[in-house]
Amino acid sequence: MDQANRKMYNEALELYEKGEFKAALDKLKRVLKVYPDYPDVLNSAGLTYSMTGNFEQATESFQRAVEINPEYIEAYVNMAIVQNEQCKFEDAIKSFEKAAALETKEKGISPQLKAKLAATYAQLGDTYYELQEFRKAKEEYMRAVEISETFIDIKLKLGKTHMQLREYNDAEKLLNDILRRNKNYVEARSVLGLCNYHQKKYDAARKHWQEVLNSDPANIKARSYLNMLKEKTDG
């Protein structure tokens, strides 16, 4: 890149850092007219497009960057983030996985990338769960947990999915693991009580729901569950 365009590119980066995205984009476009095949400039343009809400153009810029440099990890990650913003979770997962494969080849996947990939799997799982496609939801939640097993919120979602599939033993095991990590996780304890109820472990269910009420007296779910259990056992 010649000196004049290098200067313009650096000015564009400074404008981006200041939040002056339109001005930054104008300069990046001028540089790309002369040097259309510079991955770093394309990646910067993609970031700037994304900040202006032009996600399609952002994705095109990132895609062009990785076509020129297939090992451009940062561009894959940026593209995945934009795809995730558009709720294109399957595309985002592919981009994250590509970045993860490249990063692993270099030095091992970073915790930051693990977290982003796990969150994207979980979001796709949420979509399937809302559509009541519970087996597909389970697959995505399991992928998320496999990558980052310390994310207990995702484990809870997986536990609820096991419940929907009547896989009560799997749900119980997972929920107990969550509570070993955080014994004060009220929602997990409430769901575990419901799991025990479906397994006809009524004493265990009562114990968990009573513990929820002890820590959260205003918990409507736990009170309703206890009333349900009372009607069941008294009847």
Side-chain angles (χ1 to χ4, degrees):
M1 185 183 297
D2 65 69
Q3 188 174 353
N5 280 284
R6 171 62 64 183
K7 182 174 181 291
M8 190 179 301
Y9 176 54
N10 288 334
E11 288 171 353
L13 297 180
E14 289 175 7
L15 288 166
Y16 177 90
E17 290 298 324
K18 293 176 183 177
E20 298 179 25
F21 303 120
K22 186 178 182 303
L25 197 54
D26 287 342
K27 288 184 180 292
L28 289 168
K29 286 179 180 179
R30 288 164 64 185
V31 175
L32 284 170
K33 279 185 180 180
V34 183
Y35 296 99
D37 296 331
Y38 266 56
D40 286 344
V41 182
L42 287 162
N43 181 60
S44 297
L47 286 169
T48 311
Y49 276 122
S50 71
M51 296 305 294
T52 63
N54 191 339
F55 296 130
E56 288 187 13
Q57 195 65 54
T59 302
E60 287 181 19
S61 297
F62 295 134
Q63 189 62 53
R64 180 62 183 146
V66 298
E67 285 172 4
I68 297 166
N69 180 3
E71 298 193 352
Y72 200 161
I73 295 173
E74 187 181 348
Y76 278 114
V77 171
N78 291 334
M79 181 160 57
I81 291 169
V82 168
Q83 290 164 334
N84 202 40
E85 285 289 320
Q86 296 175 283
C87 297
K88 295 180 178 179
F89 299 126
E90 292 183 358
D91 290 338
I93 284 169
K94 289 177 184 176
S95 298
F96 272 130
E97 286 178 339
K98 183 65 178 177
L102 290 169
E103 197 168 64
T104 301
K105 186 170 70 173
E106 283 190 9
K107 56 186 177 182
I109 185 169
S110 67
Q112 294 84 357
L113 188 52
K114 275 187 180 181
K116 289 176 181 176
L117 182 54
T120 307
Y121 280 135
Q123 285 176 312
L124 182 55
D126 292 345
T127 300
Y128 284 132
Y129 192 97
E130 288 171 12
L131 294 171
Q132 298 187 4
E133 295 188 30
F134 299 118
R135 294 203 176 277
K136 289 184 178 179
K138 183 177 82 169
E139 289 176 8
E140 300 306 327
Y141 290 141
M142 288 180 75
R143 287 179 182 177
V145 168
E146 186 178 344
I147 290 171
S148 194
E149 63 176 24
T150 58
F151 283 20
I152 59 175
D153 288 349
I154 299 176
K155 281 191 170 183
L156 179 59
K157 290 179 179 182
L158 177 56
K160 289 179 177 178
T161 308
H162 281 310
M163 294 270 289
Q164 292 289 350
L165 294 168
R166 299 185 180 181
E167 297 170 349
Y168 299 123
N169 289 336
D170 290 332
E172 183 180 21
K173 181 179 177 182
L174 196 61
L175 292 162
N176 275 316
D177 178 66
I178 292 170
L179 290 170
R180 275 193 294 272
R181 294 172 184 271
N182 182 0
K183 66 180 181 179
N184 297 318
Y185 198 159
V186 169
E187 187 177 1
R189 191 170 295 283
S190 182
V191 175
L192 178 56
L194 192 58
C195 180
N196 291 153
Y197 176 85
H198 286 300
Q199 294 169 299
K200 298 184 179 180
K201 299 178 181 179
Y202 298 134
D203 288 342
R206 183 183 293 106
K207 178 184 174 183
H208 288 302
W209 291 332
Q210 191 58 58
E211 283 189 41
V212 170
L213 279 182
N214 290 343
S215 60
D216 180 14
N219 194 293
I220 296 173
K221 276 188 179 180
R223 195 171 297 282
S224 298
Y225 289 151
L226 282 169
N227 289 335
M228 174 183 70
L229 179 59
K230 189 174 186 300
E231 290 177 10
K232 178 80 173 179
T233 53
D234 288 353

